[in-house]
Amino acid sequence: MAAAAMATTSGGGGESKEKEERMERTTLCFPIVYGSVAYFLGKKADEYHTHQWTLYVRGPNNEDLSVAIRKVVFQLHPSFPQPVRELTQPPYELTEKGWGEFEVTIRILWRDPNEKSIVLTHGIRLYPPGLTALSPNVTSTKEPVVHEFYDEVVFTDPAPSFHQKLMRQSTLPKVMSQEESVQSVLPTYSDESTMKALVEAQQFLGAELRTIKDRLMRAHDECEEAEEQLRAAAEAKAKASAAAKAAAASAATNVTSGNSNTKTSNTSKGKPGGASFKKAKISH
């Protein structure tokens, strides 16, 4: 779903009209769908006309948008004759033939001239996603390429007369495409399909969350195991270091003690010999 387009009240061009007293603290959402449907022309195709496409602005379920829309202006590629096309009555669509994909600009003007017009950009798509004219086996006369977006225009504090027009939409007959091949492939939007999509999305998110939770739990367990191994390795290293220091200290003590004993023994033996020698010398 595209982001909701905002229609403000800062003036929208068109005929001048005195502003009505606006309905404060009132908000209306006006759903629209804009897009294109393209068919390959098959044997009827030539170098410059490989596809026929229809560009449109419509109600999500073919509602009559003319209660709110005064005019739709399509800005095509400059290579088309009359690239600017204005439509003042539904269905707001145009059909052309061409060979290339390009961007179009869609401007929607409202029946209340004090409501600012909105501008949309849409890409005419001739080939399925990920494929181009150079891709093999992309041409088919049976499978159309539908490229459309759902949007909601938000009107804040609308004028009472415009509010009444919007409220009449549900009472008006549906508006179908002038191209039967287009109408037959247009997606539908309903509360049931929306709820189904939401349920499927919720189930998908639930499964993803469970998977992520399991991964986080496994990662947590692995982190704890790694930390335990690091602590054990650190303790073993500390014990080994302490043992090495103790061994070194013990060895140093033994060496010092041995040297001390040697000196004491030598000193004890030297003194008696000297005295005896001296005494012997004196006696003579």
Side-chain angles (χ1 to χ4, degrees):
M1 179 184 294
M6 298 297 295
T8 64
T9 58
S10 57
E15 68 274 12
S16 61
K17 181 180 178 181
E18 185 178 352
K19 291 186 177 181
E20 298 180 59
E21 194 77 20
R22 305 191 72 84
M23 302 174 64
E24 296 183 358
R25 295 185 295 278
T26 301
T27 301
L28 286 176
C29 291
F30 188 70
I32 63 171
V33 172
Y34 60 97
S36 58
V37 175
Y39 280 93
F40 177 59
L41 292 175
K43 295 181 180 180
K44 298 180 180 179
D46 58 40
E47 183 179 1
Y48 299 104
H49 304 90
T50 60
H51 291 76
Q52 176 173 297
W53 50 261
T54 299
L55 176 67
Y56 54 83
V57 175
R58 67 183 184 90
N61 293 299
N62 303 310
E63 295 87 351
D64 187 348
L65 301 183
S66 65
V67 293
I69 293 178
R70 178 167 58 88
K71 182 192 303 184
V72 175
V73 181
F74 294 108
Q75 177 73 53
L76 305 180
H77 191 274
S79 61
F80 284 88
Q82 297 180 332
V84 179
R85 313 284 179 90
E86 296 186 359
L87 299 174
T88 57
Q89 298 292 332
Y92 303 105
E93 65 179 28
L94 61 88
T95 300
E96 281 287 356
K97 295 179 181 179
W99 58 270
E101 298 181 335
F102 60 96
E103 300 288 323
V104 300
T105 300
I106 305 171
R107 185 184 180 195
I108 300 177
L109 294 89
W110 308 105
R111 292 206 173 274
D112 182 353
N114 296 314
E115 294 288 355
K116 186 178 181 179
S117 62
I118 63 171
V119 178
L120 306 168
T121 301
H122 177 71
I124 300 292
R125 297 289 177 261
L126 305 182
Y127 306 98
L131 301 179
T132 67
L134 301 178
S135 303
N137 302 323
V138 299
T139 56
S140 172
T141 56
K142 296 181 179 180
E143 297 297 329
V145 176
V146 181
H147 186 225
E148 73 169 25
F149 297 91
Y150 173 97
D151 209 335
E152 291 181 354
V153 184
V154 180
F155 295 103
T156 303
D157 301 339
S161 60
F162 190 57
H163 181 273
Q164 290 177 1
K165 291 176 181 177
L166 295 177
M167 292 295 98
R168 290 180 52 243
Q169 185 183 45
S170 60
T171 65
L172 299 178
K174 302 291 185 180
V175 177
M176 303 299 177
S177 171
Q178 294 178 341
E179 302 289 338
E180 184 178 351
S181 60
V182 171
Q183 183 63 49
S184 63
V185 298
L186 292 178
T188 58
Y189 300 82
S190 65
D191 293 340
E192 181 179 355
S193 60
T194 301
M195 288 301 298
K196 182 179 179 181
L198 289 174
V199 170
E200 291 177 351
Q202 186 178 19
Q203 292 174 346
F204 173 78
L205 290 175
E208 288 294 303
L209 288 174
R210 287 191 294 272
T211 300
I212 293 172
K213 185 178 179 180
D214 291 340
R215 289 178 180 175
L216 289 175
M217 291 297 294
R218 286 197 299 270
H220 178 71
D221 293 340
E222 291 174 357
C223 286
E224 287 189 342
E225 183 178 353
E227 289 177 357
E228 184 63 31
Q229 292 176 352
L230 289 174
R231 282 195 296 269
E235 291 176 359
K237 183 178 180 181
K239 290 180 180 179
S241 178
K245 289 180 179 179
S250 177
T253 301
N254 291 335
V255 171
T256 302
S257 176
N259 291 338
S260 176
N261 292 336
T262 302
K263 290 180 180 179
T264 303
S265 175
N266 291 338
T267 303
S268 300
K269 293 179 179 180
K271 286 183 178 180
S276 176
F277 176 76
K278 288 179 180 180
K279 288 181 178 180
K281 188 176 182 179
I282 293 174
S283 61
H284 286 284

